[in-house]
Structure formats: C-alpha cells, structure tokens
Amino acid sequence: MVENTLGDRIKRLRKQQRMTQVNFAQSLGISQANLSEIESGKSKPSIEVLIAMVILYKVNLHWLLLSENLLFKKEMGADESELINSYRELQDIAKEEVLDYLKLKLLRYKK
C-alpha cells in the first residue's frame, strides 16, 4: 500500500496502533477534529505533533514526511519488537552485557 499524502501515512500509523481517532488524537495532545482534518488532508500537523508521533510510536520521520518505504527501517517481527522493547528497559550495564553476548553469538554463527 502506497500512502500518497501525509494524512494517509498518519492514518496508517494510527490504524497500525489499533487506535481510534479520539485515542490517537489524545495521545498527541490534539482534538479528534484536528486529527480528522490532518488525515483527510485539509490541514497539516504541527512540528510538535510530528515529533510526538516519532517519539510515542517510534515511527521513522523520513517515512512520515517523504513517503519512502521506511515506516520502520525494516518491518519487524513480534520477536524483534519484544527484544528491542525489553532492551530499552534494561540498565546501562545490562545493555552492555547483552551487546557483548550478541557479538559472541554473531562470531559463533556468522554465515
């Protein structure tokens, strides 16, 4: 599916999050009416709203603005998403340990 407009891409993001316009708008600090106008192309989101989408929903700003196939650098599977979310919850020392372990596994199973 190619999203031709910024509004189309924002709507796609909202639907991927399984959110209503009301919930999605609230998460961004805007009204449902404003979101509806953005999705329909009648208005453009502020930079603050775009930044909120990037931060809250981990969306690629390049994709959001330019419609290139970069919603996420690569579509992630559920296991990859879980791994990233879990990693983000770790303390810095634990993150270093995970990275060291990953490097060892890459050396061992490198194709």
Side-chain angles (χ1 to χ4, degrees):
M1 175 179 167
V2 176
E3 295 84 8
N4 294 322
T5 69
L6 175 60
D8 291 336
R9 291 184 295 280
I10 291 171
K11 185 175 184 177
R12 176 180 176 196
L13 174 63
R14 175 178 62 81
K15 288 186 176 223
Q16 284 184 331
Q17 298 300 315
R18 295 184 175 100
M19 295 180 80
T20 65
Q21 280 189 339
V22 172
N23 300 116
F24 195 69
Q26 286 175 341
S27 75
L28 300 172
I30 61 175
S31 69
Q32 182 273 327
N34 189 354
L35 178 60
S36 179
E37 288 183 348
I38 291 168
E39 287 185 357
S40 67
K42 293 178 183 171
S43 70
K44 301 288 183 208
S46 68
I47 190 68
E48 291 81 12
V49 169
L50 292 170
I51 290 170
M53 283 183 222
V54 169
I55 293 170
L56 292 171
Y57 301 107
K58 312 294 187 251
V59 68
N60 185 295
L61 183 61
H62 192 88
W63 168 81
L64 190 60
L65 295 175
L66 301 176
S67 184
E68 295 187 13
N69 292 327
L70 295 171
L71 173 56
F72 301 99
K73 292 194 181 199
K74 177 182 167 187
E75 292 294 327
M76 285 191 284
D79 57 339
E80 291 172 306
S81 181
E82 180 182 357
L83 181 64
I84 290 169
N85 289 332
S86 297
Y87 176 82
R88 288 177 176 162
E89 293 178 15
L90 295 173
Q91 294 178 355
D92 288 342
I93 188 72
K95 287 179 181 178
E96 289 176 25
E97 292 172 356
V98 168
L99 290 175
D100 288 343
Y101 181 75
L102 180 60
K103 289 173 187 172
L104 285 172
K105 287 295 180 185
L106 286 171
L107 286 173
R108 183 175 180 188
Y109 296 105
K110 201 169 191 175
K111 294 180 180 181

